Amino acid sequence: MPGASDTLWDIAKAKVEKKENNEGDRDGVECWERSIFFIGNKTGGKTTIILRCLDRTFAVVLVLDLSKPNELWPTMESLLQVTRKHVEKIITKLGQTNPKAATEMKQKIWNILPKDHPDRELIDPFPVPLVIIGSKYDLFHEFDSEIKKIIYKTLRFVSHYYGASLVFTSKSEALLLKARAVINHLAFGFDRSKSMTVDPNKPLFIPAGLDSLAQIGPPPATDSDIGKLRAQSPMDLWKKVFEKAFPPKNIGVFKEVRDPSQDPQYAEYEVDLMRAQKNQELEQYKRSASKTWKEMEFDS
């Protein structure tokens, strides 16, 4: 049984090691069971996609709310950074006990691009398969064309740079079917779609490895504006251009809730009513206990 202090990553690593030990002399990483991890900001559409696409099967992916442009970059950056850090830590630990498996994982991620793809030396694939889903396309579709252009190009660049698939979804069944196809490929090993949609007037659908920097083009800014930006890398340049158009909003992705019972997203009327009653009883007990201790101290 996992310890109380074990993280999700510790538990996953332990399960992999247990499976390898049970398989005896099989030292590869082939495994029939797969998981997909959905990450994203609150009310961004993660649950809807999971329930509609996976019929309540456990899944995992990065979901970005297209209707909130000012939250896009901070959500994407913070979640991908912390996720990458954890994954790379796990791969490093795996390499200490099973170097072959760790090496295979690092090499396999490059399979998303053909060996003759012109961008192989220019991208930095995520250490595990990644899907970026832009949710609420129905709301995003009503935005000004210039606003949509910036978001389209930026998400295409980020997805291609990380070797990720990019899918826009809404409540439309047709769009959800496309998202389901990409997720099924990761979760169940189904064949990957070879088609893509990059028309700026339609929802994007780009399986990993099918896009290119040449097709995406430069960041959506004038040459003079780009020249004034002091960027340290291509990703940093796209970030500065995007944030100039959409100043980042502090969304507190990892903001801790000291008392989860006070978090409004978990509100339950009957439970909260009972808890309020118990809180009153607790306060009464504290006052009574305090009085008793004072009396005992006084008597002594």
Side-chain angles (χ1 to χ4, degrees):
M1 180 177 180
S5 61
D6 287 347
T7 66
L8 173 65
W9 309 103
D10 294 329
I11 296 172
K13 179 174 179 291
K15 286 188 176 182
V16 171
E17 292 178 341
K18 181 179 179 181
K19 179 176 178 62
E20 290 171 350
N21 292 334
N22 291 340
E23 291 179 345
D25 59 353
R26 287 185 61 188
D27 59 354
V29 292
E30 182 178 356
C31 179
W32 288 107
E33 181 177 316
R34 305 189 186 196
S35 298
I36 305 175
F37 190 18
F38 281 81
I39 53 180
N41 55 325
K42 294 180 180 179
T43 69
K46 300 186 297 299
T47 302
T48 298
I49 294 170
I50 292 172
L51 297 183
R52 297 287 296 279
C53 292
L54 296 176
D55 297 326
R56 299 183 181 273
T57 301
F58 174 72
V60 196
V61 171
L62 169 61
V63 178
L64 300 174
D65 188 341
L66 295 175
S67 69
K68 299 177 181 179
N70 298 84
E71 296 181 9
L72 273 180
W73 195 282
T75 299
M76 176 175 61
E77 182 178 55
S78 56
L79 290 175
L80 289 184
Q81 282 181 351
V82 72
T83 303
R84 183 166 203 153
K85 180 179 179 180
H86 278 296
V87 171
E88 290 178 342
K89 181 179 179 181
I90 293 300
I91 294 177
T92 298
K93 287 185 177 180
L94 178 62
Q96 296 172 355
T97 57
N98 193 335
K100 181 179 179 181
T103 299
E104 287 179 356
M105 289 184 67
K106 293 177 181 179
Q107 293 176 342
K108 189 175 182 180
I109 196 62
W110 283 98
N111 292 340
I112 58 172
L113 287 182
K115 292 183 178 180
D116 60 349
H117 197 290
D119 299 339
R120 283 186 71 88
E121 302 299 323
L122 303 174
I123 68 172
D124 184 18
F126 211 66
V128 292
L130 174 66
V131 174
I132 296 178
I133 295 183
S135 67
K136 302 185 180 180
Y137 175 77
D138 50 333
L139 300 179
F140 171 77
H141 184 61
E142 303 300 323
F143 287 7
D144 177 79
S145 60
E146 286 303 310
I147 291 179
K148 289 193 292 185
K149 177 182 176 181
I150 296 173
I151 296 174
Y152 264 97
K153 294 194 67 172
T154 300
L155 290 183
R156 281 184 67 183
F157 170 80
V158 172
S159 298
H160 182 60
Y161 184 82
Y162 286 131
S165 294
L166 176 62
V167 187
F168 282 7
T169 67
S170 68
K171 296 179 181 179
S172 164
E173 189 63 30
L175 293 185
L176 285 169
L177 284 174
K178 288 192 173 184
R180 183 196 294 262
V182 174
I183 293 170
N184 283 345
H185 167 68
L186 291 180
F188 311 115
F190 291 178
D191 291 341
R192 187 180 66 161
S193 174
K194 296 296 183 3
S195 65
M196 60 187 292
T197 302
V198 295
D199 186 335
N201 297 311
K202 297 180 180 179
L204 290 176
F205 178 75
I206 311 174
L210 296 188
D211 213 342
S212 70
L213 296 176
Q215 295 180 77
I216 296 170
T222 64
D223 292 341
S224 59
D225 286 341
I226 291 178
K228 296 176 183 177
L229 298 175
R230 296 183 178 179
Q232 299 178 350
S233 66
M235 181 65 73
D236 189 39
L237 175 60
W238 279 82
K239 175 183 178 179
K240 291 181 182 299
V241 171
F242 188 84
E243 290 186 339
K244 183 176 181 180
F246 307 107
K249 180 179 179 182
N250 185 9
I251 57 176
V253 176
F254 301 109
K255 181 180 180 181
E256 291 189 8
V257 179
R258 294 184 178 277
D259 184 357
S261 67
Q262 303 302 317
D263 193 331
Q265 71 171 317
Y266 302 121
E268 292 278 355
Y269 176 74
E270 294 182 356
V271 174
D272 292 342
L273 190 64
M274 179 61 71
R275 181 174 180 81
Q277 179 181 335
K278 292 301 180 182
N279 284 340
Q280 290 181 351
E281 294 176 0
L282 177 60
E283 290 303 319
Q284 184 177 353
Y285 170 78
K286 288 180 178 179
R287 289 194 296 270
S288 176
S290 177
K291 181 178 179 181
T292 301
W293 281 106
K294 287 180 181 179
E295 290 177 350
M296 290 178 63
E297 183 177 319
F298 176 78
D299 289 342
S300 63

